[in-house]
Amino acid sequence: MLTHVQASCAGPQGATLVIGAGIAGLSAARALKDAGRSVTVVEARDRIGGRIHTSRLWPDIPADLGASWIHGAEGNPLARLAALAGAPTVKTSYESAQLHVADSLRAIGVRGRGDAWVSGVVDRAIEAARRADHDQSLRGAIDHVSPPARRSAIQHAQLEFHLAGNYEQEFAGAAAQLSAWNHDDGEQFGGDDLLFPGGFDQIPRFLARGLDIRLNSVVSQVRWSERGVELVLSTGEALRADQVIVTVPLGVLKSGAIGFTPDLPPKKREAIARLGMGLLNKHFLRFDHVFWPADYDWHELVKETPGRWSQWVGLAKTGAPVLLGFTGADAARAIEPHDDQAIVAEAMDAVRAMFGTRSPEPVGWQLTRWSADQFARGSYSFSAVGSGQADRDELGRTEAGGVLRFAGEACSPAYPGTVHGALLSGRAAAA
């Protein structure tokens, strides 16, 4: 392991430090290394991957606790990386979904999603909000065109289910925080969504081959000027180089865990403050056998508390007797402090609401708590009220003539909140 990087006199051709061995940091370091540059990656964790975290607790079933999918394989650089890494993938589809309705809601007349009515309300709300002279929350925009007091109990249940699944768990932010103007800014790749039956960590491992990566190295201070950079570690050790690429998650930047001397420019600090850091937690329940309909990828549950166990993926097609349940935004934050047994018990209430009271107990589980992770402090960024692509551009802007650069999904105006956005951002910073 490299213990010190001394600044050279070669200007932008000299040594580079990369903070963070997630996909952005690894892709930046890979590009620099392949171009013959001197580069060292400094990583706080005892592993690479960052928010790509494949657990091997179950030796026969890798569990992707962070990123799970390639979203849109057509033209996606991750799909090419998967092929180069020899990592097999399995297709999933949002169209392959079975809807379940909790008995209590079925008793009042809920029979389906109410897609036509709900989509109409949301579309009208967003259209009206975009005509306004100031941004507002998605929930505020919806409540304006469809006041809660005027909705029936059936309409309320369907609308909240729609918001939880299509917005709060998609963008990882609460509807009361998501920007009505910019929540869905960004582009998408076409084609299939792909899972990694052998684990997403095959991608960071492939990128990391031959790189100098220093694990268990927590950066507490970044001192920067046009003459170069100095990183101060929590141990007091200092690393020096000509330039640095900072790829830590937005949540870490917002927390102030890393100090910058001098302070970052006001516009960059404002961008960090305006953008939201979202939360999407994953809960893997393992069973002795598959007892749910295995021909569906997704199982959705309309229930009284949407966002708490309303979306599930059955992993039978990957050969795993595992159900993966999601909690997002405020619901996830409310659940995180509970102990494992309480969380699993609540999750199993949802499983039994979908598949019957005789559904067996799980034989194992793995649960995430991404907001409590000090090196992530959330799952991925979202456009909060008053923020948008301009803030992501500002966050990714270089400082001091290129000495200080930032990369990561939060810096990607085109693909925020995605692994491919982080990958492309890292390559751009290196270029």
Side-chain angles (χ1 to χ4, degrees):
M1 289 293 181
L2 196 62
T3 58
H4 189 79
V5 180
Q6 178 63 48
S8 75
C9 299
Q13 302 294 322
T16 301
L17 289 163
V18 176
I19 305 177
I23 197 74
L26 292 175
S27 63
R30 178 80 272 151
L32 291 168
K33 172 76 172 179
D34 290 349
R37 304 298 177 87
S38 173
V39 57
T40 297
V41 182
V42 182
E43 168 56 48
R45 301 181 189 274
D46 60 0
R47 60 172 179 83
I48 65 171
R51 286 168 283 170
I52 297 175
H53 182 197
T54 304
S55 166
R56 306 283 173 175
L57 178 64
W58 301 327
D60 57 331
I61 302 177
D64 279 319
L65 304 181
S68 296
W69 279 271
I70 297 177
H71 289 293
E74 187 176 316
N76 192 317
L78 277 175
R80 174 165 173 74
L81 270 181
L84 291 173
T89 57
V90 172
K91 299 177 185 178
T92 67
S93 171
Y94 288 116
E95 302 302 316
S96 175
Q98 185 178 38
L99 183 70
H100 310 263
V101 179
D103 289 344
S104 58
L105 293 183
R106 189 172 291 278
I108 66 171
V110 177
R111 293 293 181 265
R113 297 180 180 86
D115 288 338
W117 176 81
V118 169
S119 296
V121 168
V122 175
D123 290 346
R124 291 199 311 275
I126 292 173
E127 182 179 353
R130 287 176 174 164
R131 291 197 301 267
D133 58 5
H134 64 276
D135 194 10
Q136 62 181 304
S137 73
L138 179 62
R139 183 171 292 282
I142 289 171
D143 288 349
H144 180 72
V145 302
S146 175
R150 297 182 186 175
R151 298 176 206 147
S152 69
I154 294 173
Q155 290 174 330
H156 176 77
Q158 291 170 331
L159 178 60
E160 291 301 319
F161 170 78
H162 181 85
L163 288 178
N166 291 277
Y167 293 92
E168 296 190 328
Q169 292 184 18
E170 177 72 14
F171 300 108
Q177 296 176 308
L178 289 169
S179 164
W181 281 356
N182 302 315
H183 64 272
D184 61 349
D185 273 359
E187 304 170 20
Q188 295 181 344
F189 288 105
D192 298 309
D193 289 343
L194 305 177
L195 282 173
F196 291 90
F200 211 137
D201 63 348
Q202 295 169 95
I203 301 302
R205 289 206 314 265
F206 177 74
L207 287 172
R209 293 187 305 179
L211 295 179
D212 288 324
I213 302 175
R214 182 170 167 164
L215 302 177
N216 299 303
S217 299
V218 179
V219 175
S220 59
Q221 188 76 213
V222 177
R223 298 169 180 162
W224 59 284
S225 73
E226 292 183 358
R227 296 187 300 275
V229 296
E230 180 181 73
L231 306 187
V232 180
L233 306 186
S234 60
T235 60
E237 182 183 359
L239 307 177
R240 300 177 184 87
D242 294 285
Q243 55 238 344
V244 64
I245 302 175
V246 180
T247 73
V248 300
L250 175 67
V252 175
L253 294 177
K254 291 174 81 68
S255 75
I258 298 177
F260 290 86
T261 305
D263 279 345
L264 296 176
K267 287 185 178 180
K268 197 178 295 289
R269 297 201 308 270
E270 291 164 6
I272 291 169
R274 275 193 296 263
L275 289 166
M277 187 61 178
L279 181 60
L280 181 71
N281 277 328
K282 299 181 177 179
H283 312 82
F284 293 80
L285 304 183
R286 179 171 182 166
F287 299 89
D288 278 328
H289 64 281
V290 175
F291 58 87
W292 56 91
D295 49 344
Y296 291 100
D297 293 337
W298 290 84
H299 291 275
E300 299 176 304
L301 177 62
V302 185
K303 58 195 295 286
E304 298 88 341
T305 52
R308 296 173 79 119
W309 322 111
S310 54
Q311 286 193 330
W312 294 79
V313 174
L315 299 180
K317 66 164 44 178
T318 70
V322 172
L323 286 170
L324 168 57
F326 298 87
T327 58
D330 289 347
R333 295 184 191 281
I335 289 170
E336 261 198 11
H338 298 170
D339 62 32
D340 281 10
Q341 287 72 21
I343 293 173
V344 170
E346 185 178 319
M348 283 304 300
D349 286 343
V351 169
R352 294 188 170 110
M354 292 188 293
F355 307 120
T357 56
R358 302 178 72 176
S359 299
E361 286 291 319
V363 297
W365 56 80
Q366 297 189 56
L367 315 176
T368 70
R369 294 177 173 87
W370 281 105
S371 75
D373 184 321
Q374 65 173 319
F375 301 128
R377 300 179 187 258
S379 299
Y380 47 88
S381 66
F382 67 89
S383 291
V385 176
S387 69
Q389 289 184 335
D391 293 303
R392 299 183 187 280
D393 284 330
E394 182 59 45
L395 182 56
R397 194 181 308 279
T398 62
E399 306 295 342
V403 168
L404 177 64
R405 301 167 187 266
F406 288 77
E409 54 83 12
C411 300
S412 175
Y415 306 107
T418 66
V419 180
H420 52 266
L423 172 74
L424 292 170
S425 174
R427 288 177 176 176

